[in-house]
Amino acid sequence: MSTITEVELIEFDHTVVRRYDRVGDPLTAATPPSRTTRRFGIRIRTDDGAEGGYVVMWSAPPYAIAQVKAMATSLVGRDLHDREAIWDSYNGGFAKTDRIGAGAIDIALWDAAGKLAGLGISHLLGRYRDRLPAYVSTVGGGHGLGTLATADSYRDFADQCASRGVPGFKIHGRSAGTARDEIEIFGATAEGSAGRSDIMTDPGKSLPTLAEALKLGRFCDEVGAYWWEDPLRGDAPLAHRILRDRVRTPLLITEFVRSLELRTALALDGATDFLRADPELDLGITGVMKTAHAAEALGLDLEVHAAGPAQRHCMAAIRNTNYYELGLLDPTTGNPSLPEVFADDYAEDLSAVGDDGCVGVPTGPGLGVTYDWDRIAALNADRVTFR
């Protein structure tokens, strides 16, 4: 046994500074507006000296902290290797919540197990590949986090990435809620890519009606999109079956759908062509792999959502997947929302893409990354330890 003796939760401030206006021009104010949210990390220690850690990257919202606190006490005294039993207890015991807090815990358990074994997580899972084809996933235009705002800026960035050999490019548009805006930007993206890369669009459920979604879907067919993602408010199976019936471009939903059972049910109901899963949102690496195997049994692809070391290890162990989501990127500011938590050279920007159009999988034990816990502690951090 490797008995868990201590679980440490670290909450810290993460500030994203808005430096540009909605048309991509620099702000003139002396102090740019900023947005500060609470992020968190978790460290798990065992009686034989093993330690696993994880810091959330994108998806787990601040209210997941309360769930982590509620779950953490039950970890103490458990065997580190009982991940499946621990996963099942959280999946059932927190069924009246979204269970998002379990994701960070599960990832940290995998990190500790990998370090104890001296192996990367993808080796423990069963590695299928060690190079991951990548697509650039843009920051939302007009949010002030970079210079993406106009159709021309998207065209230029798509051209830049295709010229660099990045095989895929996905837009997050201006979030204006209209198909016209999405079509304008996506059309410019197709021109910039000029057939050199696969292109995708992700309105993030911004389109308010089925008619608007159909309009965008028909345009996706015109430009030969690789997939289109979460176009429509809600996840109603009937509406998404209509989209699949009338649009040739493969539809990707379930980023906003929690639980393995509901994602699988939507696939069985014909509401999506591909499935989504995220280790931060879907009960960790264990949850992602369950969704991947469910999709494989149905003959579907599973696309891992968002970027990070946990996502890389998952994708390395999944056959039925296509692209790693390298995001969220801007041509000027790089990755403006990424928390600066690493003490090594781990990168989530264009520098991570090799000449083969792929990103690598961290090679060290566990997650294969080193966190800068001292830097994190300096970010107005609060710590609580469960023993």
Side-chain angles (χ1 to χ4, degrees):
M1 286 184 64
S2 182
T3 303
I4 298 170
T5 57
E6 186 173 283
V7 179
E8 183 181 16
L9 174 67
I10 305 99
E11 300 178 50
F12 63 95
D13 284 344
H14 174 58
T15 301
V16 178
V17 179
R18 179 172 171 261
R19 300 184 183 279
Y20 299 86
D21 62 21
R22 292 190 175 276
V23 295
D25 293 331
L27 291 176
T28 57
T31 304
S34 62
R35 177 172 57 92
T36 298
T37 59
R38 292 294 272 178
R39 297 286 184 98
F40 67 94
I42 187 169
R43 304 174 80 174
I44 295 174
R45 302 180 179 94
T46 68
D47 62 352
D48 51 3
E51 178 176 322
Y54 183 68
V55 178
V56 298
M57 298 279 287
W58 311 104
S59 302
Y63 63 75
I65 294 171
Q67 295 184 28
V68 174
K69 290 178 178 178
M71 297 170 177
T73 303
S74 66
L75 279 177
V76 177
R78 300 292 299 265
D79 188 331
L80 172 69
H81 299 98
D82 288 348
R83 289 184 302 276
E84 187 69 25
I86 292 168
W87 188 95
D88 185 65
S89 68
Y90 292 155
N91 186 44
F94 289 82
K96 290 186 178 181
T97 73
D98 54 28
R99 312 175 183 91
I100 287 174
I105 291 174
D106 182 82
I107 297 168
L109 290 172
W110 277 100
D111 184 49
K115 289 174 178 174
L116 195 62
L119 295 171
I121 291 171
S122 58
H123 285 89
L124 297 180
L125 292 170
R127 180 173 275 191
Y128 180 78
R129 71 189 97 202
D130 59 9
R131 300 292 293 168
L132 313 176
Y135 69 90
V136 163
S137 183
T138 75
V139 71
H143 291 172
L145 300 181
T147 51
L148 283 180
T150 65
D152 287 343
S153 64
Y154 280 87
R155 181 186 296 107
D156 293 344
F157 194 28
D159 174 53
Q160 174 191 340
C161 294
S163 298
R164 201 181 181 284
V166 183
F169 189 91
K170 186 180 83 175
I171 70 162
H172 292 95
R174 290 192 290 256
S175 300
T178 68
R180 179 178 299 175
D181 283 324
E182 294 292 329
I183 287 170
E184 177 191 12
I185 290 175
F186 200 39
T189 298
E191 293 171 4
S193 172
R196 295 169 294 168
S197 59
D198 293 323
I199 55 172
M200 307 83 139
T201 180
D202 180 3
K205 293 187 174 296
S206 67
L207 301 182
T209 66
L210 180 60
E212 285 282 284
L214 284 167
K215 187 186 297 184
L216 176 61
R218 288 191 291 268
F219 187 76
C220 288
D221 286 347
E222 288 180 27
V223 298
Y226 193 74
W227 74 55
W228 63 320
E229 186 172 344
D230 285 313
L232 183 62
R233 305 271 173 90
D235 296 290
L238 176 58
H240 286 84
R241 285 201 305 271
I242 292 172
L243 293 179
R244 289 188 64 226
D245 286 344
R246 301 188 186 184
V247 177
R248 297 189 306 275
T249 301
L251 179 63
L252 170 58
I253 66 171
T254 71
E255 174 187 334
F256 296 87
V257 177
R258 303 281 69 79
S259 91
L260 169 68
E261 294 83 0
L262 287 179
R263 289 193 297 277
T264 306
L266 282 168
L268 288 170
D269 211 7
T272 187
D273 292 291
F274 302 159
L275 287 173
R276 264 289 198 212
D278 182 324
E280 290 187 1
L281 296 175
D282 297 315
L283 282 83
I285 291 169
T286 302
V288 170
M289 297 309 295
K290 287 177 181 289
T291 303
H293 296 322
E296 186 175 29
L298 297 174
L300 302 181
D301 296 343
L302 180 282
E303 299 301 323
V304 181
H305 175 253
Q311 284 88 342
R312 295 195 192 194
H313 283 284
C314 286
M315 185 176 174
I318 299 171
R319 175 195 61 79
N320 52 312
T321 191
N322 297 286
Y323 272 120
Y324 177 75
E325 183 169 16
L326 183 66
L328 298 166
L329 302 192
D330 178 86
T332 302
T333 57
N335 201 326
S337 299
L338 183 72
E340 296 182 2
V341 297
F342 299 104
D344 52 25
D345 60 356
Y346 182 84
E348 287 292 348
D349 53 36
L350 284 174
S351 70
V353 183
D355 293 339
D356 58 354
C358 297
V359 301
V361 182
T363 57
L367 286 170
V369 297
T370 303
Y371 290 110
D372 190 336
W373 295 109
D374 290 336
R375 178 190 293 175
I376 293 169
L379 298 173
N380 193 29
D382 292 321
R383 297 170 181 261
V384 58
T385 301
F386 302 86
R387 295 186 176 92

